[in-house]
Amino acid sequence: MNDLLAKISSYDLFNNLIPGAIFVFFLSATGIYSLSAETIAGNLVVYYFVGLVISRIGSILIEPLLRFLGVVSFGKYEDFITASSKDPKILTLLESSNLFRTILAMVLVCFVAFNWDVVALWLPLSQRTWGGLLCGFVALLFLLSYRKQTEFIRKRVAHHRGSPNAVD
């Protein structure tokens, strides 16, 4: 168990594990749902996965919305790569900004969970249908996350090759 905890990066801890644990606690404390595994290790896996989903909601849904609304703006990715290699503090600041985005996503997901009974009244679907929709949503969320991450990798490779637009 200690070896597992030692391998968790600060990013995983702050952007996945802690938000997941807080969300699961929120569900339990408000009486919405009790989500618990039989062991501490099992709970950590549940917290991590729930936090990972919340983090992806922040990355795939919240971030583009905030960009569209003009709340945040990004520079060129190539400039980020160059600057972060010269100033390691930028990566720490990026981790913090991602944490804030994940917390925002967690609060919004808590709001939806807390008001789920109202949503269910508007769309009276069976529990099986809701489960299928949830699985589809999570699959789409991770598909879009995979695409976004692959694009970051492609841009980094192109940057190091010296041509920002090179595609294989």
Side-chain angles (χ1 to χ4, degrees), residues 97-127:
S97 71
N98 288 344
L99 171 62
F100 301 146
R101 183 190 65 206
T102 299
I103 290 171
L104 174 61
M106 181 193 67
V107 170
L108 294 174
V109 171
C110 285
F111 178 80
V112 171
F114 191 70
N115 292 290
W116 189 252
D117 54 339
V118 175
V119 174
L121 285 175
W122 288 345
L123 296 168
L125 302 174
S126 70
Q127 190 172 9

Side-chain angles (χ1 to χ4, degrees), residues 2-24:
N2 289 339
D3 290 339
L4 176 65
L5 291 176
K7 292 181 182 181
I8 294 176
S9 70
S10 64
Y11 185 90
D12 285 328
L13 180 67
F14 291 116
N15 283 286
N16 297 328
L17 192 60
I18 291 174
I22 292 170
F23 180 72
V24 169

Side-chain angles (χ1 to χ4, degrees), residues 85-105:
S85 69
K86 295 176 182 175
D87 183 358
K89 181 78 171 169
I90 291 173
L91 295 176
T92 303
L93 296 170
L94 175 66
E95 187 174 311
S96 294
S97 71
N98 288 344
L99 171 62
F100 301 146
R101 183 190 65 206
T102 299
I103 290 171
L104 174 61

Side-chain angles (χ1 to χ4, degrees), residues 12 22 27 30 67-68 103 123 135 147 158:
D12 285 328
I22 292 170
L27 290 178
T30 57
R67 289 174 81 173
F68 175 77
I103 290 171
L123 296 168
C135 288
R147 184 178 79 176

Side-chain angles (χ1 to χ4, degrees), residues 17-98:
L17 192 60
I18 291 174
I22 292 170
F23 180 72
V24 169
F25 174 77
F26 170 81
L27 290 178
S28 179
T30 57
I32 295 171
Y33 195 78
S34 180
L35 187 62
S36 180
E38 297 292 320
T39 64
I40 292 173
N43 279 333
L44 289 175
V45 170
V46 169
Y47 301 158
Y48 183 85
F49 182 74
V50 169
L52 185 61
V53 170
I54 291 169
S55 174
R56 298 301 79 214
I57 289 170
S59 176
I60 301 302
L61 300 176
I62 304 297
E63 179 182 295
L65 177 63
L66 294 176
R67 289 174 81 173
F68 175 77
L69 295 173
V71 175
V72 295
S73 62
F74 293 166
K76 292 181 182 176
Y77 188 66
E78 294 79 17
D79 294 342
F80 167 77
I81 295 169
T82 302
S84 63
S85 69
K86 295 176 182 175
D87 183 358
K89 181 78 171 169
I90 291 173
L91 295 176
T92 303
L93 296 170
L94 175 66
E95 187 174 311
S96 294
S97 71
N98 288 344

